[in-house]
Amino acid sequence: MASLSIHNEEIGNKGRMWALQQQLDPPMDEEGGGLRNRYDEKDSSTLFLLQLAFQSLGVVYGDLGTSPLYVFYNTFPDGIKDPEDVIGALSLIIYSLTLVPLLKYVFIVCRANDNGQGGTFALYSLLCRHAKLKTIPNQDHSDEKLTTYSHSTFHEKSFAAKTKRWLERHTFRKNSLLVLVLVGTCMVIGDGILTPAISVLSAVQGIKLGRPEMSSEIVLVVAVIILVVLFCLQHRGVEKITWIFAPIVLLWFLLIGGIGIYNIIKYDSSALKAFSPLYIYRYFKRGRKGSWTSLGGVMLSITGTEALFADLSHFSVASIQIAFTVVVFPCLLSAYSGQAAYLLKNSDNVVDAFYRSIPDSIYWPVLIIATGAAVVASQATITATFSVIKQAAAVYCFPRVKVMHTSEKILSHIYIPEINWILMILCIAVTVGFRNQSQIGNASGIAVVIVMLVTTALMVLIMLLVWRWHWILVLVFTLLSLVVEVTYFSALLFKINQGGWVPLVIAAVFLTIMCAWHYGTMKRYEFEVHSKVSMPWILGLGPSLGLVRVPGVGLVYTELASGVPHIFSHFFTNLPALHSVVVFVCIKYLPVHTVLEEERFLVRRIGSKDFHMFRCVARYGYEDLHKKDDDFENKLFDSLFRFVRLESMMEGCSDLDEYSLDDELTRELRNGLSGYNGDELSSTVDETISSVGSTTANSELQANNAILPSNQVISQITNGELQLLRNCRDSGVVHILGNTVVTARQDSSLWKKIAIDYVYALLRKLCRENTVVFNVPCESLLNVGQVIHV
């Protein structure tokens, strides 16, 4: 490439940055897969939206679609005393489906997505980007320049700014918000256990009706076999068979909708009176407490609603809305109305109302499709459970587990072996232990309604901080949501002793694990921050650091994104030599769903050039999967080489006079060069000494004399250090990991000693080692142990 010389008056600061980028990375053409191509908006044509809507049926609506199998039985577990109660229950189902899935989730909550990602952690990440809510403060300003780090600023006197300051003022409020998110996460895990149990068991119950000679034990065995096969196939992934999920669920909805219309015509069209809310009032007036407690069964008609939001990542909001309003909603209304029409004439058959209302000629095909739809619904909740576990681990709220991708195309298709077997054991235990839909339904209802309450609480903050709605609109949304959800929750409290205790116990166990792990991690991080190695001490040792520098590269893994970790001081007391090049590698998760590969690494220099010490921060989002492999190592070194080249180019930018990098240029450097920034340009000894540019007393850049260096000059400047880096890499790369034992101080409280010395210590022994998670080969591993007291 020919040398490039451009004057400041012609291109300005932004032009200089563009010119630097052209020398480092020529722009990709339209076919080169550049950033613009990867982030073009999706085609919004009608055909494309219909295709997405069709595909969403097989991923999003399986759980919601299988609810007609068991809703009426769980609503009237003791039988139907008055036929008009059927109309009252149907009216409750109709308006529950209208208010919660349709109005709240499809048209409001789905809009609160994090760049297309949905779920509890997506809402939490949005809030963390708009307020300083992270309990482990490992972010810096450069992270806010990422492409996916979208956030906005507030007017100081706005209600949003006041809310933000109120949340940030006390650590207790931050911790309370995190615990709220974790409670919702634990309930999602509980739903991942209960949904497969109730869906599969309800589907195969039809076998007994079609073959009366079969005993309940045989039906139970069939359900258990289906569940075992389902969980055992998780490690293979479902990518190869997902193409049949959408046709199965679409056929299921069309069947139940058609059967509903058939039953309305055949049995009793007066069931349509339930569209009048007057029958809800009559239902409660007539039944009083019995009608109130039956809400636990009605609640099951909206289970699976959270999947609308949680599985949003694969689809657009418009496609979700089209699928629900055109297919799901009318078919569910028809299915429930048809069952109600059947029950008005056959009130004694409430236990098997769904299967008994099916015409005999299509009974067995419907049974087969029902089983298939139940498997689809189960698969969706299992996948969602894997996803929330991974997201919890990304915010340091769950022990390290092995995460495996089961699809090369879809990142959200993951498999976690330990969690899979725990889910299978608990799911089978619930199925065999209860053996009926009623108690499992009570448990599932409590899990779902608590997740909805958590979503409502987070949505209030989203509306205030992100959307900046007027407080009156927020109040209206909150009151309407709480009226419905608190009503259901109060009714389900009566069912705690009838199976409702199951999700509470599951949530308590997982919440204890999450809180203990987060507490231990936070205390360890605080220790690392307060015991960082003093930079004056390191600089006083000189370039050799008082040790023999041997050829090779040492990658020191640390949780600190700035400063030198305490464990580094162990080298000076336990090791006689140190590698010629030392790179401190920090794996950091940010409150974004993903970080672009070209923005993944943030490289800085520690000390002067002759120290040959660097810091590399690898940044990930909660949907990203970090795995230490050859590709990761190659990208890390590519980023390191590029930083050295850029550093030399910036030093060579001035021909005769000194200059200073103004704030605008520094910001452009952060934005334009993949995170290689001068965020720590301060010369204070406690921070790293950045070589991105030199800061002087001059207030203006001597533009007329600033000439970008040619390739030949750049080559002469960078050859020495680049060659050293290459030679050291060829000599060998050693991965240095800390093996830290955390214990509570002697003067700690009893609760702290239990949390740190017993719960956290046990979890560290049970979870996977860093060497396994990072996939570090044993022959290039160096473990450095230390004991810290927190």
Side-chain angles (χ1 to χ4, degrees):
M1 184 185 296
S3 62
L4 182 63
S5 176
I6 305 177
H7 292 283
N8 186 61
E9 64 264 26
E10 296 174 352
I11 61 173
N13 286 340
K14 294 185 178 181
R16 292 202 315 278
M17 288 310 307
W18 177 87
L20 284 173
Q21 286 179 279
Q22 304 314 296
Q23 293 191 17
L24 287 174
D25 287 301
M28 299 180 185
D29 56 22
E30 290 299 318
E31 299 179 355
L35 181 61
R36 290 171 297 179
N37 289 341
R38 290 197 303 271
Y39 276 78
D40 282 342
E41 293 185 358
K42 293 181 177 179
D43 183 7
S44 59
S45 67
T46 303
L47 182 62
F48 182 74
L49 279 178
L50 291 177
Q51 180 183 356
L52 283 180
F54 169 71
Q55 293 172 349
S56 71
L57 292 173
V59 176
V60 175
Y61 296 108
D63 191 8
L64 196 62
T66 54
S67 296
L69 290 170
Y70 45 79
V71 167
F72 275 108
Y73 169 56
N74 283 272
T75 304
F76 302 107
D78 300 323
I80 299 172
K81 299 177 181 179
D82 188 335
E84 194 169 329
D85 288 346
V86 176
I87 298 179
L90 176 60
S91 187
L92 282 168
I93 292 171
I94 290 172
Y95 286 98
S96 295
L97 285 170
T98 303
L99 291 175
V100 180
L102 181 64
L103 296 181
K104 178 184 175 181
Y105 278 85
V106 171
F107 288 106
I108 297 179
V109 175
C110 281
R111 293 181 56 237
N113 60 83
D114 181 15
N115 291 310
Q117 303 294 318
T120 304
F121 275 99
L123 296 178
Y124 182 64
S125 296
L126 273 176
L127 293 174
C128 286
R129 295 208 300 271
H130 288 79
K132 297 177 181 178
L133 300 177
K134 289 192 67 176
T135 54
I136 297 181
N138 60 350
Q139 290 180 233
D140 61 28
H141 296 297
S142 62
D143 298 331
E144 299 179 6
K145 306 300 179 181
L146 295 173
T147 303
T148 54
Y149 200 104
S150 58
H151 68 292
S152 54
T153 56
F154 309 106
H155 189 276
E156 284 299 318
K157 296 183 179 180
S158 66
F159 190 76
K162 294 177 182 177
T163 305
K164 176 177 179 289
R165 288 193 294 270
W166 182 82
L167 286 171
E168 295 175 344
R169 192 171 296 127
H170 298 290
T171 304
F172 174 77
R173 293 167 186 165
K174 299 179 185 179
N175 292 334
S176 299
L177 182 62
L178 178 61
V179 170
L180 182 69
V181 172
L182 295 181
V183 168
T185 301
C186 294
M187 289 301 168
V188 172
I189 297 172
D191 194 37
I193 296 168
L194 298 168
T195 294
I198 191 172
S199 298
V200 173
L201 185 60
S202 300
V204 299
Q205 285 287 351
I207 299 176
K208 185 179 178 182
L209 187 62
R211 291 286 185 269
E213 66 274 10
M214 284 191 176
S215 63
S216 299
E217 285 72 18
I218 294 178
V219 173
L220 185 64
V221 170
V222 172
V224 170
I225 290 174
I226 293 175
L227 291 172
V228 170
V229 172
L230 176 64
F231 282 102
C232 288
L233 293 178
Q234 290 300 311
H235 72 284
R236 296 184 177 273
V238 294
E239 183 181 13
K240 295 181 180 179
I241 59 173
T242 48
W243 63 273
I244 66 172
F245 282 3
I248 288 175
V249 177
L250 177 60
L251 183 58
W252 169 251
F253 276 116
L254 294 179
L255 277 173
I256 63 175
I259 292 172
I261 295 173
Y262 169 81
N263 288 332
I264 292 172
I265 296 173
K266 180 180 178 180
Y267 293 104
D268 196 340
S269 61
S270 64
L272 298 178
K273 293 188 297 184
F275 282 87
S276 170
L278 178 63
Y279 287 90
I280 297 177
Y281 168 74
R282 292 180 179 178
Y283 180 64
F284 285 119
K285 182 179 180 181
R286 183 172 53 254
R288 298 184 182 275
K289 183 180 178 180
S291 298
W292 190 267
T293 56
S294 70
L295 288 174
V298 175
M299 172 69 200
L300 297 179
S301 64
I302 56 176
T303 56
T305 301
E306 279 291 326
L308 288 172
F309 186 43
D311 294 322
L312 186 64
S313 58
H314 307 303
F315 313 101
S316 65
V317 174
S319 65
I320 294 287
Q321 293 171 341
I322 291 172
F324 188 84
T325 54
V326 175
V327 177
V328 178
F329 188 61
C331 288
L332 286 176
L333 293 184
S334 176
Y336 287 118
S337 299
Q339 283 191 57
Y342 172 81
L343 289 173
L344 287 173
K345 299 297 183 181
N346 305 274
S347 58
D348 294 335
N349 295 332
V350 67
V351 175
D352 301 310
F354 176 79
Y355 283 112
R356 290 185 182 275
S357 65
I358 299 173
D360 294 337
S361 58
I362 59 171
Y363 181 84
W364 289 106
V366 172
L367 175 61
I368 294 172
I369 296 172
T371 305
V375 170
V376 173
S378 303
Q379 179 60 53
T381 56
I382 294 170
T383 302
T385 303
F386 291 156
S387 179
V388 297
I389 291 291
K390 178 180 176 294
Q391 293 169 3
V395 294
Y396 313 102
C397 291
F398 202 83
R400 296 182 298 270
V401 290
K402 184 178 182 180
V403 180
M404 301 168 56
H405 271 304
T406 59
S407 171
E408 296 180 357
K409 299 178 181 179
I410 304 176
L411 291 178
S412 60
H413 284 183
I414 59 175
Y415 170 69
I416 304 177
E418 300 94 330
I419 301 300
N420 182 68
W421 305 126
I422 292 174
L423 291 180
M424 186 186 76
I425 293 171
L426 293 178
C427 185
I428 293 175
V430 168
T431 305
V432 175
F434 288 132
R435 298 192 175 204
N436 68 81
Q437 307 164 29
S438 178
Q439 291 183 319
I440 302 176
N442 294 335
S444 179
I446 287 182
V448 171
V449 75
I450 291 178
V451 175
M452 289 181 177
L453 287 169
V454 170
T455 300
T456 299
L458 295 176
M459 281 299 302
V460 171
L461 296 176
I462 292 292
M463 291 174 175
L464 292 174
L465 294 178
V466 182
W467 294 350
R468 303 182 193 177
W469 281 13
H470 195 279
W471 67 268
I472 295 179
L473 293 177
V474 178
L475 182 62
V476 171
F477 170 84
T478 306
L479 291 177
L480 289 177
S481 297
L482 291 181
V483 164
V484 177
E485 292 160 8
V486 172
T487 300
Y488 279 128
F489 182 69
S490 64
L492 284 164
L493 291 178
F494 292 97
K495 303 295 183 72
I496 288 181
N497 63 338
Q498 302 173 32
W501 56 270
V502 173
L504 300 180
V505 172
I506 294 173
V509 173
F510 277 95
L511 186 62
T512 300
I513 292 173
M514 291 179 175
C515 291
W517 184 263
H518 183 74
Y519 181 73
T521 304
M522 182 175 63
K523 289 300 180 182
R524 188 176 64 181
Y525 181 81
E526 290 175 355
F527 175 86
E528 294 286 351
V529 170
H530 290 107
S531 59
K532 291 188 292 187
V533 178
S534 169
M535 282 302 299
W537 180 68
I538 288 182
L539 295 176
L541 295 175
S544 68
L545 299 177
L547 300 172
V548 177
R549 303 295 291 269
V550 297
V553 178
L555 299 182
V556 183
Y557 289 84
T558 175
E559 296 177 358
L560 295 180
S562 62
V564 178
H566 171 75
I567 200 171
F568 190 66
S569 61
H570 284 224
F571 294 150
F572 302 99
T573 57
N574 297 296
L575 298 177
L578 188 65
H579 301 91
S580 297
V581 177
V582 176
V583 182
F584 295 97
V585 181
C586 173
I587 308 298
K588 182 168 70 170
Y589 284 90
L590 302 175
V592 295
H593 74 284
T594 187
V595 177
L596 303 184
E597 282 295 334
E598 52 266 41
E599 297 178 332
R600 176 82 66 208
F601 296 100
L602 178 69
V603 180
R604 296 165 180 162
R605 185 184 291 278
I606 297 178
S608 58
K609 283 190 175 183
D610 47 3
F611 278 71
H612 303 304
M613 295 172 62
F614 303 88
R615 175 182 299 106
C616 180
V617 180
R619 301 175 291 188
Y620 292 85
Y622 54 82
E623 287 291 337
D624 293 331
L625 178 64
H626 166 68
K627 181 179 179 182
K628 199 280 142 201
D629 51 21
D630 292 337
D631 186 52
F632 173 83
E633 188 175 299
N634 292 334
K635 291 177 180 178
L636 187 152
F637 278 103
D638 288 344
S639 301
L640 191 61
F641 294 151
R642 187 180 180 193
F643 172 80
V644 173
R645 292 171 57 200
L646 170 64
E647 184 183 49
S648 297
M649 292 173 66
M650 295 305 294
E651 287 178 348
C653 264
S654 181
D655 179 35
L656 297 173
D657 300 288
E658 292 181 317
Y659 66 94
S660 64
L661 290 177
D662 61 359
D663 290 339
E664 181 181 1
L665 180 56
T666 303
R667 286 194 297 271
E668 290 297 324
L669 184 60
R670 292 173 183 161
N671 281 331
L673 292 170
S674 307
Y676 305 102
N677 62 80
D679 192 48
E680 298 184 13
L681 286 172
S682 171
S683 59
T684 58
V685 294
D686 286 333
E687 296 294 332
T688 57
I689 302 174
S690 175
S691 300
V692 176
S694 58
T695 304
T696 69
N698 292 342
S699 60
E700 296 182 356
L701 177 67
Q702 304 297 326
N704 294 330
N705 293 326
I707 301 175
L708 296 176
S710 66
N711 280 358
Q712 183 178 1
V713 175
I714 295 173
S715 179
Q716 292 174 352
I717 295 174
T718 61
N719 266 347
E721 190 166 19
L722 286 177
Q723 189 60 45
L724 173 66
L725 291 174
R726 293 191 182 98
N727 291 340
C728 289
R729 182 184 183 184
D730 294 338
S731 298
V733 178
V734 176
H735 303 270
I736 305 170
L737 278 72
N739 188 9
T740 305
V741 177
V742 183
T743 60
R745 294 194 302 266
Q746 290 294 329
D747 58 346
S748 300
S749 65
L750 176 62
W751 291 110
K752 184 177 180 180
K753 289 181 179 179
I754 293 175
I756 297 295
D757 294 341
Y758 295 97
V759 182
Y760 182 71
L762 177 62
L763 292 175
R764 280 183 61 87
K765 290 180 180 178
L766 294 177
C767 75
R768 292 179 178 262
E769 297 287 343
N770 279 329
T771 54
V772 177
V773 176
F774 294 153
N775 195 26
V776 177
C778 296
E779 60 272 12
S780 60
L781 171 66
L782 176 61
N783 260 320
V784 180
Q786 65 172 343
V787 178
I788 63 174
H789 302 280
V790 296

